[in-house]
Amino acid sequence: LEEVLALPGGNEIVTDQVLYNLKRRGIEWDLLPFCRAQHLPVMAYSPIEHSGRTQKRMLDDPTLQSIASRHDATPAQIALAWLIQQEVVVIPKASTSEHVRENHEALRLVLSEAELSELDQAFPPPARKIPLEVK
């Protein structure tokens, strides 16, 4: 990204869209801080995981379900709210109007510091630099 930004026209880049969700947090090590320093928004794709099997595993996590229960929300809404609180752009898939409404409800959720800490324990941030994950 540094190299691309340094190229002629690099300053025309308006966002960096990367795989980012509770399970895939590798960008927090260096890419996310770099983008923030450059005032370059990050857009999370696959915000609640990208395949049915891995999405189910993430959404079935007991911590995520417990926090969702406390907020009268779904685990997917909590996962979206977490991303929103990371100050990234989140555009989740929505195939029905009900799905759009469910996703929209994530905007009203504010996770406490204790809940953010719980999510960090359940879905640990990276402890070292890891290669950028892609779908």
Side-chain angles (χ1 to χ4, degrees):
L1 185 57
E2 286 180 56
E3 292 174 16
V4 171
L5 290 172
L7 292 171
N11 62 337
E12 295 178 31
I13 295 173
V14 295
T15 190
D16 190 7
Q17 185 179 25
V18 293
L19 179 59
Y20 185 43
N21 58 50
L22 279 166
K23 286 187 66 123
R24 300 177 190 275
R25 297 178 62 177
I27 69 165
E28 293 176 17
W29 185 261
D30 54 1
L31 181 60
L32 188 57
F34 175 80
C35 288
R36 287 181 174 152
Q38 300 298 313
H39 305 286
L40 181 65
V42 169
M43 180 184 295
Y45 77 78
S46 294
I48 54 171
E49 269 298 87
H50 57 274
S51 76
R53 189 176 70 244
T54 58
Q55 184 181 83
K56 182 168 174 34
R57 278 194 305 241
M58 184 177 94
L59 297 180
D60 285 346
D61 178 84
T63 300
L64 198 54
Q65 290 190 347
S66 174
I67 294 170
S69 177
R70 285 181 248 155
H71 284 271
D72 193 27
T74 67
Q77 289 170 325
I78 298 301
L80 294 174
W82 177 83
L83 282 166
I84 292 165
Q85 283 187 236
Q86 305 310 306
E87 299 180 355
V88 299
V89 178
V90 181
I91 304 176
K93 178 180 177 180
S95 53
T96 66
S97 57
E98 178 57 36
H99 200 183
V100 171
R101 282 190 285 279
E102 179 184 343
N103 290 342
H104 183 263
E105 284 298 308
L107 291 170
R108 74 173 171 80
L109 301 172
V110 177
L111 304 175
S112 70
E113 289 298 320
E115 290 167 329
L116 294 172
S117 181
E118 287 179 67
L119 290 170
D120 280 348
Q121 289 177 358
F123 304 96
R128 59 179 167 72
K129 183 175 179 160
I130 60 172
L132 184 63
E133 294 184 78
V134 294
K135 208 172 185 181

